[in-house]
Amino acid sequence: MPVIPEPSKDSPLYRSRHSLSHVMAQAVQKLHPGTLLGFGPPIDDGFYYDFLFPEGTEISKGELKAIEKEMRRIIGQDQAFEQEELPGDEALERIRAMGEPHKLEYAQELLARGNETLGFYTNGPFVDMCEGPHVASTSELPREGFKLHSVAGAYWRGDERNAMLTRIYAYAYSDKVELRERIDAVEQAKNQDHKVLGPKLGIYVIEDKVGKGLPLWLPNGAIIRRELEKLAAELEFEFGYLPVATPHITKADLYRTSGHLPLYEEVMYPPLRMFEDAAAGGSAAEEGEGEPELYYLKPMNCPHHHMIFGAEPRSYRDLPLRLTEYGTVYRFERSGQLQGLARVRGMTMNDAHLYVTRDQLKSEFKAVMELHRRYYELFDFQNYFLRLSLWDPDDEKRKNKYFDDPEAWAFTQKIVQEALEELDLWYKVAPGEAAFYGPKVDFQFESVLEKEFSVSTNQLDFAVPGRFGLKYIDRDGTEQTPYCIHRAPLGTHERFIAFLIEHYGGAFPTWLAPLQVLVIPVSEKHEEYARKVQSTLRRNMVRADVDNGDASMGKKIRNGSIRKIPMLLIVGANEEADGSVTVRRYGIQEQQTMRLDAFAEMVDAEIRERRHVIAAD
């Protein structure tokens, strides 16, 4: 089965990072007595540990240096890592004596799952419940190969209903040379962060007077959105989708029927309380008569699409029915979770819902995966993985989240896994991360700052169409309930464009670039010809402009490069006489002179075919 393997726990670097996390926890508890422990695992570039500090404790950058100093002192003590396994009751007694309530909660959960013993590791005075592995002694750890670099908030067990802990992150490598390379790479990545490049390139801004998480798309960003919508319209037409459009608000009952309201109300904007008579000019609201209607800004499009499916009689001949919409939705994410365009409160989603028969389920799911592949090849995306999110019937905390239909879960999960394997796609399995109505496949990306996000999704829904009473007449004349596939290959404009900015470093392919061609006249005498070139290109729907400013030609070229414009056209006396242009591509020093009509034909083909011809800086 093509499941992506987890990182090996036997590697020396894994053991080193894991051991350093224990050393950091020991250092923190010595410097801040009374600090409680959460989890402290190795990660791809180091490790972290979650702490509940005593009230009033603040962790600053200066404090990180103090913790590092104490860690090096501990490393120098040559503390041995000693392992022991304790039976359940003894293990719980040990943890109670340690005074670690978070560890106790987790230990009780492990024992309830069937573990008969629990592992502990001791180094010096520090004891932690842990399965390992670790190095033999702290003397094996690289004194100059780690650095504590940031602090963040993290809910215990990732559940916002739990206590907020303080997470300290660290880089950890074999030596200071590898560590330095990592730090330099992170600093370079910050220059490609979409939160830096986006406003700098005139793509979007976020203003407090509008609201946190509500981006304003500037002209350059609006052009990118329009190009993505055009791409989606063309491919979805090819794949047999039908466009629909739905309102931004709806009555609360729609989300009660779908089952979303009790599960998502905490991330929905508060309802609008409307009295129908008052809206029509009556006085019911003033007099407090009658019950108000509750309207919500829509947090998702699927219930509206279900209503469109149910708006007219359906036959098996109508299926599969593929409804698509770039629909705007609103979710009141916590302010601490907002991150530029990657996590916002207002987003426009490349949404579609496919209504299918049981026999069509696998083939349609595979067709959606093929559509994802077409998009990802076009953008040359490679740094991502698939996450298969499944139902976990043993997860007590999420038990009430899922539709209680074990047979349907087993069938739909089998369909999704078979589809992935038949397409020879590699994936990671995530038990307990399924949607409440069925299993799903998410396309996981890392930002340049290595925060993981779901950018695209493909979900199988066996439950909600039945809640809406959706039916179609089958071949034998019986009424059947369709299955539904929820999919968003281009995700939302906001998150997808955030990743495009970082993926291309702001240097978009010509077809996607807000300004595709900048014409630079050598002097004022050639501005008229420059305008002629611009007019010729714009008649072919090429986004072209003329730089007629007072700066020198050299500075205009540098400015065009800073703006990451794909093509600069230099025009002077020779070009005007020959009816030609001198072409400079972004990132390439060599110039090429060609006739204007030949250039116009070349750039038209490049845009029409959406070629990927970006050169590196």
Side-chain angles (χ1 to χ4, degrees):
M1 183 168 66
V3 178
I4 297 173
E6 294 296 326
S8 171
K9 294 184 178 181
D10 292 326
S11 72
L13 188 56
Y14 184 97
R15 290 173 180 266
S16 176
R17 287 169 172 170
H18 199 176
S19 303
L20 281 166
S21 76
H22 282 219
V23 170
M24 179 171 73
Q26 182 183 155
V28 166
Q29 288 194 320
K30 179 175 181 181
L31 294 173
H32 299 282
T35 298
L36 300 177
L37 302 177
F39 291 138
I43 53 178
D44 286 345
D45 63 354
F47 60 91
Y48 69 78
Y49 214 115
D50 293 339
F51 303 101
L52 183 61
F53 284 95
E55 189 173 350
T57 302
E58 293 186 8
I59 302 300
S60 62
K61 286 190 176 180
E63 180 62 18
L64 294 183
K65 292 185 181 299
I67 296 171
E68 283 184 8
K69 182 178 179 181
E70 179 62 22
M71 289 176 67
R72 293 189 174 93
R73 189 189 68 81
I74 292 169
I75 290 171
Q77 292 179 348
D78 192 19
Q79 296 178 359
F81 281 87
E82 300 175 349
Q83 181 185 18
E84 60 182 325
E85 289 282 331
L86 295 180
D89 290 342
E90 290 184 37
L92 295 180
E93 185 177 345
R94 166 75 65 85
I95 298 170
R96 289 190 183 97
M98 291 162 55
E100 295 288 354
H102 300 106
K103 298 285 186 180
L104 180 62
E105 176 189 318
Y106 187 53
Q108 291 170 332
E109 182 179 315
L110 291 175
L111 295 174
R113 290 181 188 173
N115 292 46
E116 295 181 356
T117 63
L118 296 177
F120 292 82
Y121 271 87
T122 301
N123 60 293
F126 181 74
V127 183
D128 200 357
M129 183 182 77
C130 177
E131 66 177 2
H134 289 280
V135 298
S137 166
T138 59
S139 63
E140 299 179 23
L141 299 174
R143 291 173 59 91
E144 304 303 325
F146 70 91
K147 180 179 177 58
L148 311 189
H149 63 83
S150 61
V151 179
Y155 292 109
W156 167 239
R157 309 295 299 277
D159 189 333
E160 62 185 23
R161 295 168 294 185
N162 293 335
M164 172 67 78
L165 308 183
T166 299
R167 176 171 295 176
I168 299 178
Y169 284 98
Y171 301 130
Y173 287 87
S174 300
D175 53 43
K176 64 180 180 182
V177 175
E178 289 185 3
L179 176 64
R180 185 72 257 168
E181 289 175 351
R182 173 59 181 163
I183 293 171
D184 290 346
V186 170
E187 289 304 311
Q188 178 62 31
K190 289 179 180 177
N191 296 325
Q192 284 187 239
D193 183 359
H194 81 275
K195 296 188 294 297
V196 175
L197 279 180
K200 183 178 178 181
L201 295 175
I203 293 173
Y204 80 99
V205 294
I206 295 176
E207 296 288 350
D208 283 344
K209 287 185 177 179
V210 175
K212 292 181 179 179
L214 299 172
L216 297 172
W217 292 98
L218 304 177
N220 287 347
I223 289 170
I224 296 172
R225 284 175 54 126
R226 185 174 63 189
E227 289 296 334
L228 291 177
E229 291 177 15
K230 180 181 177 183
L231 169 65
E234 292 175 8
L235 272 182
E236 288 171 353
F237 178 80
E238 178 184 336
F239 276 72
Y241 287 77
L242 299 174
V244 296
T246 60
H248 291 232
I249 63 172
T250 193
K251 290 182 178 181
D253 282 347
L254 188 71
Y255 296 120
R256 291 196 184 97
T257 300
S258 68
H260 285 100
L261 194 55
L263 293 174
Y264 289 93
E265 188 170 13
E266 62 187 22
V267 295
M268 294 167 65
Y269 275 83
L272 305 171
R273 301 169 60 86
M274 299 298 297
F275 291 86
E276 293 293 343
D277 288 344
S283 60
E286 298 176 4
E287 298 173 3
E289 296 176 2
E291 290 294 325
E293 290 277 11
L294 300 184
Y295 285 80
Y296 282 93
L297 288 171
K298 68 174 177 179
M300 66 283 298
N301 299 302
C302 37
H304 294 75
H305 290 190
H306 297 334
M307 298 301 291
I308 290 174
F309 180 93
E312 57 185 274
R314 305 289 181 182
S315 159
Y316 71 92
R317 294 187 179 88
D318 301 320
L319 305 188
L321 179 65
R322 310 176 188 97
L323 303 180
T324 183
E325 173 183 20
Y326 255 107
T328 302
V329 299
Y330 305 88
R331 299 173 187 174
F332 196 77
E333 302 280 2
R334 292 176 180 270
S335 59
Q337 297 175 328
L338 300 176
Q339 297 183 42
L341 290 178
R343 190 176 293 276
V344 293
R345 289 174 172 169
M347 62 214 79
T348 303
M349 185 178 297
N350 172 225
D351 218 352
H353 296 89
L354 291 72
Y355 299 89
V356 303
T357 68
R358 185 183 179 95
D359 293 340
Q360 296 166 343
L361 200 50
K362 187 194 293 185
S363 61
E364 286 298 310
F365 198 90
K366 290 169 68 174
V368 171
M369 299 303 291
E370 169 65 14
L371 183 57
H372 276 85
R373 186 189 66 78
R374 289 275 295 274
Y375 283 126
Y376 283 19
E377 286 183 351
L378 174 64
F379 293 108
D380 194 30
F381 284 163
Q382 297 178 13
N383 185 28
Y384 67 91
F385 68 90
L386 304 187
R387 183 181 69 188
L388 172 58
S389 298
L390 302 175
W391 177 48
D392 183 1
D394 298 323
D395 188 338
E396 291 296 324
K397 289 194 173 182
R398 292 186 173 95
K399 188 173 183 179
N400 295 329
K401 164 186 171 181
Y402 302 115
F403 276 89
D404 186 16
D405 190 337
E407 184 178 338
W409 280 105
F411 169 70
T412 52
Q413 290 181 165
K414 179 173 178 287
I415 287 290
V416 173
Q417 286 182 288
E418 287 178 354
L420 293 177
E421 290 170 10
E422 289 171 14
L423 291 168
D424 198 26
L425 296 173
W426 289 78
Y427 58 89
K428 291 184 179 181
V429 177
E433 295 298 323
F436 71 91
Y437 45 65
K440 63 177 179 172
V441 176
D442 291 320
F443 290 68
Q444 301 297 113
F445 284 73
E446 279 191 349
S447 69
V448 291
L449 300 181
E450 300 184 346
K451 293 184 181 295
E452 185 180 311
F453 294 96
S454 298
V455 173
S456 307
T457 191
N458 191 12
Q459 307 177 2
L460 202 162
D461 179 356
F462 63 81
V464 179
R467 292 178 64 103
F468 278 88
L470 303 185
K471 300 291 183 182
Y472 67 93
I473 304 301
D474 209 350
R475 293 176 183 271
D476 60 4
T478 61
E479 281 191 337
Q480 300 293 331
T481 299
Y483 288 86
C484 181
I485 296 173
H486 307 236
R487 46 107 284 186
L490 295 179
T492 67
H493 276 323
E494 290 70 21
R495 185 170 291 181
F496 202 82
I497 290 174
F499 279 88
L500 285 178
I501 293 169
E502 296 182 357
H503 176 63
Y504 294 124
F508 298 100
T510 305
W511 70 271
L512 192 57
L515 181 61
Q516 296 164 325
V517 177
L518 180 64
V519 187
I520 301 175
V522 171
S523 69
E524 290 183 9
K525 293 185 296 183
H526 310 294
E527 185 176 333
E528 182 177 349
Y529 180 62
R531 293 292 181 191
K532 176 184 176 182
V533 171
Q534 178 196 27
S535 178
T536 299
L537 295 174
R538 288 179 66 86
R539 280 198 299 271
N540 289 343
M541 300 303 291
V542 177
R543 295 185 287 275
D545 201 355
V546 174
D547 187 343
N548 61 347
D550 296 329
S552 66
M553 187 178 72
K555 188 170 183 180
K556 289 178 180 180
I557 292 172
R558 287 193 297 274
N559 288 340
S561 180
I562 290 171
R563 294 169 63 188
K564 303 180 186 288
I565 299 168
M567 298 185 197
L568 306 181
L569 302 184
I570 314 301
V571 295
N574 292 337
E575 288 81 9
E576 186 169 359
D578 297 340
S580 64
V581 292
T582 296
V583 185
R584 289 179 62 108
R585 278 191 176 272
Y586 176 80
I588 299 176
Q589 290 298 319
E590 294 79 9
Q591 301 182 159
Q592 178 185 10
T593 300
M594 57 196 306
R595 290 192 56 81
L596 174 57
D597 56 356
F599 173 78
E601 184 177 336
M602 179 196 75
V603 74
D604 177 70
E606 185 173 317
I607 293 169
R608 182 168 21 87
E609 297 169 15
R610 296 189 174 96
R611 296 177 190 165
H612 182 69
V613 289
I614 289 298
D617 284 310

